[in-house]
Amino acid sequence: MDSKGWNTWGEGVSFGLDNGMAIIPYALLKNYRKLNLSGSETLLLIHLLSFRQVEGIEFPSLEELQAVTGRSIPVIAGELQKLMKDGFISIDGDNDELRDMHYERYNFSGLYGKLGSYLATQAKTAEQEGTQGNGSKSSVSRVTDNRFGGSPPNGGTGKGLSDPEEASRSLFSIFEKEFGRPLSPMECETISGWLDQDRYPEELILLALKESVFAGKLHFRYIDRILLEWSRNRVKNAQDVKAYSQKFRGGGK
């Protein structure tokens, strides 16, 4: 890349950083499904947190939320009501007597309380089972070893991919491990869309990730193309992947 290209890239990074960064609880990304949150509800929470942290907007309008999510106002309003009903967020009011104005802001104490309670329960369970210190970590390592160790999925058996509970718990962490960095909110939204909108099995998503690793094309667009191709050919699990691959290659071993 020439110096002009590097300057352009650097200016782009600088512009992006100048626009601010939001701090999102990793526990939310990792455990949102355990809290019975959908991917779209989680993304909405992320946007609410981002509005507060980056733009200083504590009570974004439905129109502002529509602009960043691309979803209809009735759908957003329904999800906000559900989040409030389930105790993840609440609305605090305040009055500015000098300006004679009423302010409202979202309160996230419910979300943090639920996350803290869930994590405390998990830690207590691990301690009772005598696995404190290596329980959740070894679980992720074991899943990663089973899924990304050994031969490529084309010749694999899919062993270690049959536990949806374990897969759900470690899906985001496996992606971050393979990419070697934290996932962006957009990448988290992509994974959530595969799960909640496209209804791809977690097993299939991880097989597609494994395919991209072995192909040396580790980016979300390539993984999405793999999933779309499999979907069009009714590939739904590890056995289907193996059969499809053998058929595509002319009935190899």
Side-chain angles (χ1 to χ4, degrees), residues 119-158:
L119 293 175
T121 300
Q122 292 297 101
K124 184 176 180 180
T125 301
E127 183 177 5
Q128 290 174 344
E129 294 176 352
T131 59
Q132 187 177 27
N134 63 11
S136 60
K137 184 175 181 181
S138 64
S139 173
V140 172
S141 299
R142 184 170 61 254
V143 173
T144 306
D145 290 342
N146 286 338
R147 287 171 182 163
F148 296 97
S151 60
N154 292 337
T157 62

Side-chain angles (χ1 to χ4, degrees), residues 13 65 72 74 88 122 143-145 152 178 220 222 236 249:
V13 172
L65 291 172
S72 69
F88 288 97
Q122 292 297 101
V143 173
T144 306
D145 290 342
E178 292 305 316
F220 274 76
Y222 185 76
K236 299 179 180 180
R249 297 185 180 187

Side-chain angles (χ1 to χ4, degrees), residues 144 147-153 174-180 205-220 222-223 226 230:
T144 306
R147 287 171 182 163
F148 296 97
S151 60
I174 289 177
F175 267 80
E176 290 190 333
K177 178 179 177 64
E178 292 305 316
F179 276 78
I205 294 172
L206 289 167
L207 284 169
L209 173 60
K210 189 175 180 181
E211 287 276 10
S212 71
V213 170
F214 280 101
K217 299 178 180 180
L218 189 58
H219 49 80
F220 274 76
Y222 185 76
I223 297 170
I226 293 174
W230 285 349

Side-chain angles (χ1 to χ4, degrees), residues 44 80 95 104 124 157 178 207 229 236-237:
L44 185 56
L80 287 172
N95 292 312
E104 291 181 325
K124 184 176 180 180
T157 62
E178 292 305 316
L207 284 169
E229 178 185 354
K236 299 179 180 180
N237 52 47

Side-chain angles (χ1 to χ4, degrees), residues 84-172:
M84 287 187 283
K85 180 180 177 181
D86 293 343
F88 288 97
I89 58 175
S90 58
I91 297 176
D92 293 339
D94 196 9
N95 292 312
D96 186 337
E97 296 181 357
L98 294 177
R99 299 183 181 181
D100 192 25
M101 296 181 66
H102 179 75
Y103 293 94
E104 291 181 325
R105 60 178 176 269
Y106 285 109
N107 185 321
F108 299 93
S109 60
L111 168 64
Y112 299 140
K114 287 179 181 292
L115 282 172
S117 178
Y118 174 79
L119 293 175
T121 300
Q122 292 297 101
K124 184 176 180 180
T125 301
E127 183 177 5
Q128 290 174 344
E129 294 176 352
T131 59
Q132 187 177 27
N134 63 11
S136 60
K137 184 175 181 181
S138 64
S139 173
V140 172
S141 299
R142 184 170 61 254
V143 173
T144 306
D145 290 342
N146 286 338
R147 287 171 182 163
F148 296 97
S151 60
N154 292 337
T157 62
K159 208 177 228 184
L161 291 164
S162 59
D163 188 346
E165 183 77 8
E166 193 175 28
S168 175
R169 185 167 58 250
S170 60
L171 185 59
F172 281 101

